[in-house]
Amino acid sequence: MNPYKVLGVSENATQEEIRAAYLELVKKYHPDKYTDNPLKELAGEKLKEINQAYEMLTKKQTTTGSSGAYGSSGGYSGSYNSGSYSRTNGSAYSGPNAAEFARARAYINQNNLNAARAILDGANVVHNAEWNYLYGVIYLRQGWYEKAYDCIRKAYEMNPNNPDYRNAYVSLNNSGRAYANGNDGGLDASPCCDICSALMCLNCCCGGDCC
Amino acid sequence: MFGYIRPLECELKVREQQEYRAHYCGVCKTIGKRYGQIDRLTLSYDAAFLAAFLSALNGKASFSRGNCGPRCYRGKRPIADPSPAQEYAADVNVLLAWYKTDDDLLDEKKAASAASRIALRPAHKKAARRYPELDKALHESMDRLHGIEKAGVSSTDEPSDTFGQFLMAVIRFAPALPENERRACEWMFYNLGKWVYLIDAWDDREKDEKDGAYNPFLLSGMQLEDAEFLLNITLAEAEKAYDLIAIDPPSGLIDNIMRLGLRSVQRRVLQQEGCCKAGKTPPTDKGDIR
């Protein structure tokens, strides 16, 4: 593995540049972004590779201090990298059908959505907040976002204090509104482009070479 | 339903723009060679994207200067050399065009669709012989879509899923697709397909209302804000998958399409600036910058 390539920096990059590139990549592949995504494990592997590359490049330097790895000494490591669908601390579900919901969760972790759905569709399963949440995650992983949003919103409204429901609801809202204030601010509508396209037309008509 | 996947040209570097056009011309020429001159008319931006994407994924594309047959008045320009990626994009283009006429015929029952169907039949037969499994998968997706249309399902999830599966099949059967990129590529194309279906359905609301054709947005009465929300989530997922695909060396062209082009198309369609319909007209290379 070429750590410079993994981080996308040149071989004579300074420690600050390396750290900036590293933080940028951590943000890009952050586990929170891929929580309910079918590609969760791939993102986890990618992050691991980035951590390794960063460690290799920072360990080369004798100085430690501020340029140390993000989080603990082992880079951005630990809790997130495991592929499991673990509960946020202290919020373990203990209501009715706890055993069924735990099994459904396990199936979702293995990306076995049909098996999870079969459990949730069972006759005696209550349709409470947890049920809506798990169904929402199944829909998310299968790419049915309209239904996913409905379910997760319901779960959140039934129990707004549950961190899992809240995180899923917030992250879905963020991703749905992310582009509303896009940074390319209507560039395609700028008058400059009209001039460009006019010139391009002219160029074409005159047998220009560039188009 | 096609022509929404394209770059934001005013943000491309000159070299990237040439690369894009070279792929576009390359696919066009390949269609001509493999199927016949008349089938070149079916060329779509999506096929050019597919060719560019597959070439970038395999890290190799070569170009040589050449003339365009029908546009002989134009000087020589770079054209992508024949390659498996170009050939696959040409085959897929023909299949997409075929299933589009299939869809049009059901929606509109117009003579023009029937005529283009007759014209495309030999090409489709040839392409289906090359990729029988792909053709079968596409056929199944379209059948499922027609069933959903007939049933009048008002949720966007079901119909857009069929089109997501449609594009997923396209990437699944692509030649020389690296095995370790397969899952991310499939998720990316699934979401691209969903997005194309949704943006097209939104774009067609007026027309569908007039024709009494199926449109999930009309049936559910969904408003702009909610539609945009769904489109954003779909694009974000496509982008997340794209982030996990290793393209080496990095391709500014594909980056532009995935991060700027699709968004810009979406913004234009949602704002109804009128030029959104440009997505449907046969592409020209004049003034495409907008």
Side-chain angles (χ1 to χ4, degrees), chain A residues 156-176:
Chain A
Y156 172 72
E157 282 169 1
M158 283 173 167
N159 187 356
N161 294 323
N162 182 303
D164 281 352
Y165 310 162
R166 194 179 49 234
N167 289 345
Y169 182 68
V170 168
S171 100
L172 210 50
N173 270 313
N174 283 345
S175 125

Side-chain angles (χ1 to χ4, degrees), chain B residues 162-176:
Chain B
T162 61
F163 206 70
Q165 303 276 358
F166 191 90
L167 276 204
M168 196 158 105
V170 164
I171 197 68
R172 182 176 301 147
F173 294 102

Side-chain angles (χ1 to χ4, degrees), chain A residues 29 37-38 145-146 176 211, chain B residues 77 156 183 191 232 237 243:
Chain A
Y29 297 107
N37 194 290
Y145 308 121
E146 193 181 338
C211 61
Chain B
R77 49 152 77 193
T156 57
R183 276 187 58 214
N191 280 288
N232 282 341
E237 285 296 313
D243 282 341

Side-chain angles (χ1 to χ4, degrees), chain A residues 16 19 54 64-69:
Chain A
E16 282 74 44
R19 185 163 170 81
Y54 185 62
T64 43
S66 69
S67 63

Side-chain angles (χ1 to χ4, degrees), chain A residues 183-201:
Chain A
N183 51 5
D184 48 345
L187 219 165
D188 43 356
S190 88
C192 167
C193 279
D194 283 341
I195 296 168
C196 290
S197 55
L199 279 174
M200 202 58 115
C201 284

Side-chain angles (χ1 to χ4, degrees), chain B residues 38-107:
Chain B
I38 195 83
D39 295 295
R40 289 173 79 167
L41 293 172
T42 62
L43 178 65
S44 75
Y45 284 123
D46 314 276
F49 165 72
L50 183 63
F53 178 75
L54 290 176
S55 309
L57 200 57
N58 294 321
K60 50 185 175 215
S62 56
F63 306 97
S64 37
R65 299 181 76 77
N67 277 315
C68 173
R71 298 188 189 190
C72 47
Y73 50 85
R74 219 167 47 183
K76 284 192 175 182
R77 49 152 77 193
I79 296 175
D81 291 332
S83 69
Q86 292 286 325
E87 283 162 9
Y88 186 68
D91 297 338
V92 164
N93 185 81
V94 165
L95 289 172
L96 294 184
W98 169 257
Y99 285 105
K100 184 182 184 313
T101 62
D102 195 33
D103 197 44
D104 288 350
L105 207 58
L106 227 90
D107 275 4

Side-chain angles (χ1 to χ4, degrees), chain B:
Chain B
M1 200 171 270
F2 304 118
Y4 292 101
I5 304 178
R6 47 188 169 151
L8 177 57
E9 288 212 32
C10 59
E11 284 282 313
L12 285 176
K13 286 180 182 153
V14 172
R15 131 175 94 70
E16 291 162 354
Q17 190 179 38
Q18 288 205 349
E19 185 190 334
Y20 183 62
R21 293 183 172 183
H23 281 296
Y24 192 74
C25 290
V27 175
C28 185
K29 283 213 153 186
T30 313
I31 296 172
K33 233 177 280 161
R34 273 163 102 87
Y35 296 99
Q37 295 307 314
I38 195 83
D39 295 295
R40 289 173 79 167
L41 293 172
T42 62
L43 178 65
S44 75
Y45 284 123
D46 314 276
F49 165 72
L50 183 63
F53 178 75
L54 290 176
S55 309
L57 200 57
N58 294 321
K60 50 185 175 215
S62 56
F63 306 97
S64 37
R65 299 181 76 77
N67 277 315
C68 173
R71 298 188 189 190
C72 47
Y73 50 85
R74 219 167 47 183
K76 284 192 175 182
R77 49 152 77 193
I79 296 175
D81 291 332
S83 69
Q86 292 286 325
E87 283 162 9
Y88 186 68
D91 297 338
V92 164
N93 185 81
V94 165
L95 289 172
L96 294 184
W98 169 257
Y99 285 105
K100 184 182 184 313
T101 62
D102 195 33
D103 197 44
D104 288 350
L105 207 58
L106 227 90
D107 275 4
E108 300 164 6
K109 302 188 176 62
K110 274 190 191 140
S113 317
S116 56
R117 197 167 169 77
I118 293 168
L120 276 173
R121 192 177 296 273
H124 166 249
K125 249 178 131 173
K126 215 166 156 186
R129 251 205 318 273
R130 281 197 177 108
Y131 297 98
E133 284 168 277
L134 172 62
D135 186 59
K136 195 167 150 250
L138 299 183
H139 195 95
E140 278 169 8
S141 292
M142 280 328 249
D143 273 355
R144 230 157 38 85
L145 181 58
H146 294 153
I148 288 165
E149 287 178 351
K150 224 183 246 161
V153 177
S154 66
S155 157
T156 57
D157 285 336
E158 284 89 350
S160 63
D161 178 70
T162 61
F163 206 70
Q165 303 276 358
F166 191 90
L167 276 204
M168 196 158 105
V170 164
I171 197 68
R172 182 176 301 147
F173 294 102
L177 187 69
E179 211 42 53
N180 50 344
E181 310 290 359
R182 182 171 288 278
R183 276 187 58 214
C185 284
E186 286 188 2
W187 188 241
M188 173 176 143
F189 273 71
Y190 173 80
N191 280 288
L192 277 182
K194 272 186 85 89
W195 179 83
V196 166
Y197 181 89
L198 292 173
I199 201 89
D200 184 63
W202 184 264
D203 210 8
D204 279 351
R205 278 169 313 142
E206 273 174 38
K207 198 181 105 233
D208 286 345
E209 189 162 29
K210 217 168 66 200
D211 298 348
Y214 172 80
N215 189 315
F217 287 119
L218 289 175
L219 284 176
S220 65
M222 195 187 281
Q223 295 302 304
L224 174 72
E225 199 181 315
D226 291 335
E228 187 175 15
F229 190 80
L230 278 181
L231 284 163
N232 282 341
I233 292 180
T234 316
L235 264 196
E237 285 296 313
E239 226 175 285
K240 275 189 220 167
Y242 171 66
D243 282 341
L244 289 169
I245 299 169
I247 292 183
D248 188 32
S251 161
L253 170 60
I254 305 295
D255 249 14
N256 173 300
I257 295 176
M258 292 304 295
R259 302 192 202 283
L260 300 173
L262 300 176
R263 279 192 222 185
S264 139
V265 167
Q266 175 177 318
R267 206 167 36 236
R268 274 202 320 254
V269 171
L270 293 180
Q271 289 169 357
Q272 292 293 330
E273 275 181 20
C275 52
C276 55
K277 295 286 173 194
K280 310 213 156 128
T281 51
T284 63
D285 44 3
K286 291 181 189 175
D288 261 351
I289 258 179
R290 291 217 53 184

